[in-house]
């Protein structure tokens, strides 16, 4: 076998041994949501407006045990969803998971990212989370997915960050050294890793980082193995992430966790520094943020698009007045109080007027314009724009 084939075989063996993610199988739809997996909210985040259609095709590329696939089906009731993975063991769990919860619109294929061309047609949304960094050729992988993306379609990617995973990389190498010629025996690797952590001094940096950040999920051997004994991992910084993006041939739309990339949360109390940062390009500003807050950058998540992707800023008053508003489907308890959980499960509190507009939009059920609702609520167009920018409100051009 070629080096690439050997790496793929080793990765498949890991996930056949420890199917991942190890979430329980349920007889009902999974709880909660991820707004990035909801076609309506993902499209609105990228374009500013609700998509013109919901009967889309979605690909979960590297679906593992189908945790994301299951959500994609339940969060997108009109979509056809396809999952692919190179691990037969993980796929078997994915099929059972979706069958049990009633996610019957999912179909699965035993394929790697590099074989995506074997799938028929193109996809409107491709989800590739935690996969590219485990392939022997991430550039080839993202290019293979780009070829399957329909015009105006979105690709959501999640890859590891080197700065926030520094301690993980050290532990990976330490386990490999102690395993010696037993590398590739993943159960042995997990046992060695657990023994190391149990015996390191309490003030050891690797042990402290594990206890502070990862220990809860790593109680499960599947998670521990995925983190510490994976046979293939490439970690990124902002510069190499954009090298990957540039190689895809797609348009960079934006980072899908923008709050983490807000410089003001780090040096917002220093106006002179903020003013100096205004002269930086977006990439330079992102690099500055990760240099100042390296422990927080454990991954990068972002949207790419195949042009043309039509965007709406809603700056024109006449256009906004004609728009049809409706609340985002990824909010909780907003109907009862101005204090509710937003799309990122953060507790937020709205002013009374914009909250009343949000409630009225829900009651209108997509049958009234912004202008119609403003006639009944003491709210401003700027309030409506703010609701849209914060992803509380979806707008459809009138």
């Amino acid at each position: 076998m070629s080096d690439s084939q050997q790496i793929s075989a080793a990765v498949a063996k890991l996930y056949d041994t420890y199917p991942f993610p190890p979430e329980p199988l349920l007889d009902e739809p999974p709880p909660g949501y991820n707004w990035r997996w909801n076609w309506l909210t993902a499209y609105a985040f990228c374009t500013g407006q609700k998509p013109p259609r919901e009967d889309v095709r979605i690909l979960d590329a590297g679906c593992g045990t189908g945790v994301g696939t299951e959500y994609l089906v339940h969060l997108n009731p009109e979509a056809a969803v396809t999952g692919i993975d190179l691990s037969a063991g993980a796929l078997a769990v994915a099929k059972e998971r979706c069958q049990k919860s009633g996610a019957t619109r999912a179909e699965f294929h035993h394929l790697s990212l590099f074989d995506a061309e074997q799938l028929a047609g193109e996809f409107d949304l491709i989800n590739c989370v935690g996969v590219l960094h485990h392939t022997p050729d991430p550039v080839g992988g993202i290019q293979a997915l780009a070829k399957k993306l329909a015009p105006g379609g979105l690709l959501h990617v999640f890859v590891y960050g080197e700065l926030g995973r520094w301690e993980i990389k050290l532990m990976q190498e330490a386990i490999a050294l102690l395993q010696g010629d037993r590398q590739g025996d993943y159960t042995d690797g997990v046992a060695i890793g657990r023994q190391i952590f149990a015996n390191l001094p309490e003030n050891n940096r690797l042990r402290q980082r594990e206890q502070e950040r990862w220990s809860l999920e790593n109680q499960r051997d599947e998670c521990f193995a995925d983190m510490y004994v994976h046979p293939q991992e490439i970690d990124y910084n902002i510069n190499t992430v954009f090298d990957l993006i540039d190689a895809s041939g797609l348009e960079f739309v934006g980072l899908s966790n923008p709050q983490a990339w807000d410089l003001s949360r780090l040096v917002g109390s220093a106006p002179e520094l903020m003013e100096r940062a205004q002269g930086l390009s977006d990439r330079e500003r992102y690099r500055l943020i990760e240099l100042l807050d390296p422990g927080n950058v454990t991954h990068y998540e972002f949207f790419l698009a195949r042009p043309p992707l039509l965007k709406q800023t809603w700056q024109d008053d006449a256009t906004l007045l004609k728009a049809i508003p409706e609340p985002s489907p990824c909010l909780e308890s907003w109907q009862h109080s101005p204090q509710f959980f937003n799309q990122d499960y953060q507790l937020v509190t709205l002013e009374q007027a914009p909250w009343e507009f949000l409630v009225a939009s829900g009651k209108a059920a997509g049958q009234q314009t912004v202008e119609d609702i403003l006639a009944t609520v003491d709210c401003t167009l700027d309030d409506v724009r703010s609701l849209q920018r914060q992803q509380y409100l979806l707008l459809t051009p009138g």
Side-chain angles (χ1 to χ4, degrees):
M1 291 191 294
S2 67
D3 289 345
S4 178
Q5 289 173 323
Q6 288 179 344
I7 291 172
S8 294
V11 173
K13 179 184 175 184
L14 171 70
Y15 290 129
D16 286 341
T17 305
Y18 292 111
F20 186 87
E23 304 304 318
L25 279 62
L26 304 174
D27 292 321
E28 59 187 0
Y33 50 81
N34 182 329
W35 69 263
R36 299 159 190 83
W37 297 346
N38 183 303
W39 170 245
L40 301 182
T41 51
Y43 190 91
F45 173 81
C46 293
T47 68
Q49 59 189 337
K50 184 180 175 180
R53 46 186 284 264
E54 299 182 40
D55 57 336
V56 293
R57 298 187 73 214
I58 300 176
L59 173 64
D60 196 11
C63 65
T65 60
V67 171
T69 320
E70 182 182 37
Y71 274 100
L72 287 166
V73 173
H74 288 293
L75 292 175
N76 301 283
E78 296 185 31
V81 180
T82 299
I84 61 173
D85 202 89
L86 54 68
S87 167
L91 279 176
V93 177
K95 293 175 182 177
E96 182 181 3
R97 179 188 307 281
C98 288
Q99 184 66 33
K100 284 179 69 68
S101 75
T104 55
R105 283 174 291 106
E107 64 175 56
F108 295 95
H109 299 273
H110 189 197
L111 298 171
S112 75
L113 303 187
F114 307 99
D115 300 321
E117 63 183 12
Q118 297 181 29
L119 299 170
E122 297 175 320
F123 295 88
D124 303 286
L125 174 63
I126 299 178
N127 184 57
C128 187
V129 172
V131 180
L132 284 170
H133 49 240
H134 288 319
T135 69
D137 180 14
V139 168
I142 202 169
Q143 290 175 342
L145 295 179
K147 292 176 182 177
K148 301 303 295 181
L149 192 63
L154 302 175
L155 168 60
H156 185 243
V157 175
F158 175 114
V159 292
Y160 287 156
E162 65 182 12
L163 297 181
R165 292 176 60 86
W166 181 78
E167 294 89 351
I168 293 172
K169 294 295 287 186
L170 296 183
M171 179 55 74
Q172 289 171 345
E173 186 174 348
I175 292 172
L177 284 171
L178 288 174
Q179 276 201 281
D181 59 8
R182 293 192 64 179
Q183 287 184 56
D185 180 343
Y186 301 117
T187 55
D188 178 69
V190 169
I192 290 293
R194 293 202 181 282
Q195 190 174 0
I196 293 174
F197 276 126
N199 287 278
L200 286 173
E202 289 189 5
N203 63 351
N204 176 270
R205 178 169 173 173
L206 274 64
R207 179 172 177 171
Q208 288 180 337
R209 178 67 164 172
E210 165 68 12
Q211 292 175 339
E212 293 168 359
R213 190 68 183 264
W214 313 112
S215 59
L216 184 61
E217 64 186 89
N218 282 343
Q219 290 177 13
R220 296 176 289 190
D221 285 348
E222 295 89 345
C223 295
F224 192 97
D226 181 71
M227 180 169 289
Y228 289 115
V229 297
H230 206 290
Q232 172 68 14
E233 180 177 309
I234 297 174
D235 295 339
Y236 290 85
N237 58 51
I238 205 66
N239 294 323
T240 54
V241 159
F242 275 99
D243 288 341
L244 180 68
I245 291 170
D246 292 342
S248 74
L250 300 173
E251 173 191 346
F252 173 68
V253 180
L255 294 159
S256 64
N257 57 339
Q259 296 84 356
W261 299 96
D262 181 0
L263 183 62
S264 65
R265 70 180 180 83
L266 298 173
V267 294
S269 59
E272 181 182 351
L273 295 180
M274 292 297 293
E275 183 178 354
R276 284 175 179 257
Q278 289 180 3
L280 301 177
S281 67
D282 286 346
R283 297 188 189 188
E284 289 172 333
R285 189 173 65 258
Y286 295 148
R287 180 58 176 168
L288 175 61
I289 290 168
E290 72 175 1
L291 291 173
L292 296 177
D293 192 20
N296 196 47
V297 185
T298 59
H299 66 275
Y300 306 90
E301 50 185 283
F302 50 89
F303 282 106
L304 306 179
R306 177 170 296 287
L309 186 69
L310 303 179
K311 300 178 183 179
Q312 176 58 260
T313 63
W314 304 109
Q315 292 306 302
D316 178 70
D317 287 356
T319 302
L320 180 56
L321 285 168
K322 294 177 183 177
I324 307 296
E326 59 187 281
S328 166
C330 295
L331 302 176
E332 288 191 2
S333 302
W334 57 271
Q335 303 96 327
H336 311 298
S337 166
Q339 188 174 73
F340 56 88
F341 289 98
N342 69 6
Q343 68 281 351
D344 292 314
Y345 292 100
Q346 297 170 329
L347 189 63
V348 298
T349 303
L350 289 182
E351 297 292 331
Q352 187 70 20
W355 175 68
E356 289 179 357
F357 184 94
L358 187 67
V359 172
S361 299
K363 292 179 179 178
Q367 301 301 310
Q368 292 184 312
T369 66
V370 168
E371 186 173 21
D372 293 334
I373 297 174
L374 286 178
T376 66
V377 176
D378 184 19
C379 186
T380 69
L381 282 178
D382 283 341
D383 288 333
V384 177
R385 291 186 177 100
S386 177
L387 289 170
Q388 185 273 326
R389 284 195 302 270
Q390 295 178 86
Q391 295 176 259
Y392 304 155
L393 195 69
L394 304 183
L395 295 174
T396 300

